[in-house]
Amino acid sequence: MTESKTYYFDSNATTSVAPAVLQAMLPYLTEKWGNPSSPYRLGKKLVEPIERARESVAALIGADSAEIVFTSCGTESINTAITSCLYTQPTNRHVVTTAVEHSATKNCCAALEQRGYDVTYLPVNRDGSLDLKGFEQSLRPDTAVVSIMWANNETGVLFPVAKIAAICRQRGILLHTDAVQVPGKLKLDVNELGVDLLSLSAHKLHGPKGVGLLYVRKGTPFQPLIVGGHQEEGHRGGTENVPYIVAFGRAAELAGAVTVDAQRKLAALRDKLEAEIFARIPSTARNGAKEPRLPNTTSIAFAGVEAEALLMMLDQLNICASSGSACTTGSVAPSHVLTAMGLSPAEARSTIRFSLDYETSDEDVAYLMSHLPRVVAELRTAGSPRTAVRVLQPKLVAHAV
Ligand code: PLP
């Protein structure tokens, strides 16, 4: 517990670049800096590492490497997937999604609505689960695509994507899933899952920010979102980001090597944190079903506490957590995920997400729990969040050192 150590409980926001990943990518930022489309060796020699990375990410998800399109991020992959399904079926103008998607999907759909497309946002139950009957009833003859996330980034709750895929297949409707939070935490096999398109992002699995992928099942009609050069077999224009693609490949190998035992240990540590919070801090509750859920995520409402104030106090103690998805940090609106689950705006605003990683230790959890009960109690007695931060911050700085 050195003064400078960061206690990181926000792995769903991003993860550190693994040393092996950094090592793999560095030569492509230094001596191997060519353009893979160039006719001479400095460039041509980069085609092979890109294809090796493609094979590594394909292996992680049980796909063929020809089914992988590298993109700039998860958000681009999601936008590409949804728009491609619409552009290739011009007479089908209906999209089905859920009310709890990441903003990448939510705002892509909102933009499509402004352009005259029709979007159904399926509601969820109080525990964050989806009603399959309601889902089936939402499908229409003009439904072009269903885009449903596998694992919710705020609560960790899983949707039954394989069952959804079976229904879509029966109806001849394309299915895209945002699986950005899944690699390394659950087994991921596109054929077991039965999806047509799937999005991932490297920075959630110890790769760098700014590289993602879209899986496109063989035979799926496709139109690119980013139009330009012939890169990615014409599926995505733009000179390949060779270092980041190589890094993604290495990160995928590491994520693929995570054992079921390691996943169980991660879930046990998360459960221990949850149990300690419930035992030691009154008026706390988990948001979302206990299972099925990602093994690393817990979303907890601390009644009567403003999450933003709590996060500021925890930051003073070198503890990082989140009050929802990173993309909404700084906005005062309560999480759309939590309000869709039926939480009141006040309950949503009192929620903290802790998301662990294989690097999270028992000591990290012990450090968090050595401060959390006191900080919550102090915030509850201090009244308004602004007053609380003003009054309590100096005290916390003293505790932190
Ligand atoms: N989908 C989910 C579930 C996410 O958690 C995120 C990132 O927070 C994204 C999509 C977007 O990924 P990226 O940051 O690579 O655009």
Side-chain angles (χ1 to χ4, degrees):
M1 279 186 215
T2 59
E3 195 184 329
S4 58
K5 175 171 169 158
T6 297
Y7 295 85
Y8 191 70
F9 291 89
D10 205 15
S11 296
N12 287 10
T14 197
T15 58
S16 60
V17 174
V21 170
L22 181 65
Q23 208 184 356
M25 73 188 272
L26 275 179
Y28 298 91
L29 285 163
T30 50
E31 72 265 30
K32 301 180 182 180
W33 48 266
N35 184 329
S37 299
S38 297
Y40 40 79
R41 278 169 298 153
L42 182 71
K44 278 208 297 200
K45 276 207 299 211
L46 301 177
V47 172
E48 203 249 315
I50 292 176
E51 293 318 307
R52 248 188 294 130
R54 201 183 303 281
E55 275 163 27
S56 296
V57 297
L60 175 69
I61 63 172
D64 191 295
S65 60
E67 298 173 309
I68 303 294
V69 182
F70 284 116
T71 65
S72 69
C73 59
T75 301
E76 184 192 322
S77 304
I78 292 165
N79 276 258
T80 304
I82 297 171
T83 54
S84 170
C85 293
L86 289 168
Y87 297 166
T88 53
Q89 305 170 78
T91 54
N92 291 348
R93 298 180 62 84
H94 178 228
V95 179
V96 173
T97 187
T98 79
V100 296
E101 299 294 312
H102 185 271
S103 49
T105 303
K106 182 174 169 266
N107 292 336
C108 174
C109 288
L112 287 166
E113 279 185 293
Q114 287 192 339
R115 284 170 215 155
Y117 291 94
D118 200 4
V119 181
T120 299
Y121 298 91
L122 295 168
V124 293
N125 301 317
R126 177 73 195 202
D127 65 357
S129 64
L130 199 64
D131 175 24
L132 273 183
K133 267 225 156 58
F135 160 69
E136 215 167 340
Q137 282 162 2
S138 74
L139 300 174
R140 308 192 321 212
D142 66 336
T143 306
V145 59
V146 171
S147 185
I148 287 185
M149 70 198 318
W150 189 356
N152 189 278
N153 46 299
E154 291 192 32
T155 61
V157 170
L158 307 180
F159 282 152
V161 178
K163 286 186 182 153
I164 290 167
I167 296 167
C168 286
R169 189 153 289 184
Q170 232 175 19
R171 306 279 198 108
I173 296 171
L174 293 173
L175 172 63
H176 164 254
T177 192
D178 167 0
V180 164
Q181 291 294 344
V182 172
K185 301 173 199 159
L186 301 173
K187 186 179 175 219
L188 205 175
D189 185 307
V190 286
N191 292 316
E192 278 178 19
L193 213 51
V195 294
D196 302 294
L197 302 113
L198 176 143
S199 295
L200 293 187
S201 176
H203 75 98
K204 309 290 184 178
L205 50 138
H206 294 282
K209 292 152 199 69
V211 60
L213 71 77
L214 179 61
Y215 158 79
V216 185
R217 183 179 291 282
K218 222 168 274 171
T220 306
F222 187 83
Q223 269 198 31
L225 178 67
I226 310 284
V227 187
H230 58 274
Q231 294 90 352
E232 296 298 291
E233 302 287 332
H235 286 48
R236 198 261 181 190
T239 304
E240 298 90 338
N241 189 343
V242 184
Y244 281 33
I245 288 172
V246 168
F248 197 177
R250 189 72 189 102
E253 287 164 9
L254 299 180
V258 172
T259 61
V260 173
D261 190 44
Q263 290 167 348
R264 277 202 203 106
K265 281 190 182 134
L266 181 60
L269 191 58
R270 183 271 318 270
D271 292 347
K272 182 177 157 190
L273 170 61
E274 240 177 28
E276 282 206 34
I277 290 173
F278 296 148
R280 294 177 52 195
I281 308 177
S283 304
T284 48
R286 178 182 48 248
N287 301 314
K290 188 167 166 52
E291 296 295 341
R293 191 168 49 140
L294 287 175
N296 75 321
T297 309
T298 181
S299 167
I300 309 269
F302 295 86
V305 173
E306 283 283 345
E308 294 307 321
L310 179 50
L311 287 181
M312 282 176 70
M313 307 304 233
L314 293 178
D315 188 27
Q316 295 294 326
L317 296 159
N318 292 340
I319 297 167
C320 305
S322 161
S323 61
S325 69
C327 302
T328 56
T329 299
S331 95
V332 285
S335 147
H336 70 278
V337 173
L338 300 175
T339 49
M341 288 163 60
L343 272 74
S344 69
E347 285 170 322
R349 283 203 192 89
S350 74
T351 288
I352 299 282
R353 174 190 72 186
F354 298 100
S355 49
L356 285 61
D357 184 62
Y358 297 101
E359 290 172 346
T360 314
S361 65
D362 281 319
E363 291 70 38
D364 294 342
V365 170
Y367 177 80
L368 171 61
M369 287 313 297
S370 71
H371 291 287
L372 191 60
R374 176 180 44 78
V375 175
V376 169
E378 287 179 351
L379 278 172
R380 279 175 174 161
T381 50
S384 96
R386 274 176 212 288
T387 319
V389 171
R390 217 176 32 243
V391 172
L392 297 176
Q393 230 170 7
K395 239 167 125 183
L396 279 161
V397 174
H399 278 298
V401 287

